[in-house]
Amino acid sequence: MFIRLLFLFTIIPVVEIYVILQVGRQLGVAPTVALIILTGIAGAYLARTQGFEIIARIQRDTAQGQLPAESLLDGALVLAGGLLLLTPGFCTDLIGFVLLIPLSRDSLKRFLRQWLQKQIEHGHINVRRY
């Protein structure tokens, strides 16, 4: 767990700063800052529109008496993508956009579904039904 937190709070910001400096060196300060701001705006817009679509699907599924598991996975990935796009940096923006685009999100959902299934089978995650 310590290694993951170390990676999250030190290595990722260092990589982001390096990439921002390299982009700034190539494009200049103003275009680099503008790009960071534009990706934040675009990410917020995409997260908002995707989020509303997912909420509508969850409501539709529950109204039909179905468990909205697929939509909940979508929602978690869109939330993570939106958060990554709101953090300044180009690497996190790239990952955020990947999480917000439905085509790439579908591939990630398949992987996540398989991972969750294995975690449940090995007893790392307990599912209780009431």
Side-chain angles (χ1 to χ4, degrees):
M1 185 64 153
F2 173 75
I3 298 296
R4 290 180 188 166
L5 289 174
L6 178 71
F7 180 75
L8 182 67
F9 291 116
T10 58
I11 296 173
I12 291 175
V14 168
V15 170
E16 287 289 9
I17 291 169
Y18 176 78
V19 171
I20 288 171
L21 290 173
Q22 294 303 313
V23 171
R25 187 175 294 158
Q26 295 294 318
L27 299 179
V29 174
T32 302
V33 171
L35 251 163
I36 291 171
I37 292 170
L38 285 174
T39 57
I41 292 169
Y45 173 76
L46 274 172
R48 182 175 182 245
T49 56
Q50 291 288 320
F52 283 140
E53 289 177 22
I54 291 168
I55 289 171
R57 274 194 321 209
I58 290 171
Q59 289 174 339
R60 183 183 66 235
D61 290 348
T62 47
Q64 293 173 352
Q66 299 174 350
L67 183 67
E70 198 71 20
S71 298
L72 290 173
L73 275 176
D74 270 326
L77 292 173
V78 165
L79 176 63
L83 290 174
L84 286 170
L85 281 163
L86 291 175
T87 58
F90 295 112
C91 300
T92 52
D93 287 350
L94 177 65
I95 296 167
F97 279 120
V98 167
L99 292 174
L100 288 179
I101 297 170
L103 186 61
S104 58
R105 193 171 61 233
D106 287 342
S107 300
L108 288 167
K109 274 194 316 189
R110 276 193 297 276
F111 170 78
L112 185 59
R113 211 178 304 116
Q114 291 171 353
W115 180 82
L116 285 169
Q117 185 64 38
K118 285 181 185 175
Q119 295 298 311
I120 291 169
E121 289 171 2
H122 291 120
H124 300 311
I125 297 175
N126 295 317
V127 178
R128 297 178 190 209
R129 296 174 191 208
Y130 295 98

